[in-house]
Amino acid sequence: MLFLDEIFVSLDVENIARAVSILKDYSRKYNLIVFVMSHTQVPVELFDKTINVSSDGTFSSIEII
């Protein structure tokens, strides 16, 4: 497994797509699961699945899409 935190912060949409493509190739080649954490908006259609975590101030909820 590979966990990457905030790697898209300074990238535009085009370069986010390029980075995701590279990560997908790397994932297939090395049989890895890649988790990308982001607090900014990224094009979710680039990913196989998304996990949304939100908090109401007391409890957190998780939604897998």
Side-chain angles (χ1 to χ4, degrees), residues 4-55:
L4 304 169
D5 187 25
E6 299 297 336
I7 63 169
F8 304 131
V9 171
S10 61
L11 298 179
D12 61 13
V13 175
E14 182 179 322
N15 285 308
I16 289 173
R18 287 180 184 173
V20 170
S21 177
I22 291 167
L23 289 171
K24 282 184 176 185
D25 290 343
Y26 191 82
S27 174
R28 282 189 284 273
K29 181 177 180 179
Y30 295 104
N31 196 29
L32 287 174
I33 296 172
V34 179
F35 287 92
V36 178
M37 281 64 77
S38 181
H39 292 97
T40 59
Q41 291 287 20
V42 294
V44 295
E45 63 273 3
L46 298 176
F47 298 91
D48 296 331
K49 292 184 180 178
T50 60
I51 301 172
N52 294 325
V53 180
S54 58
S55 174

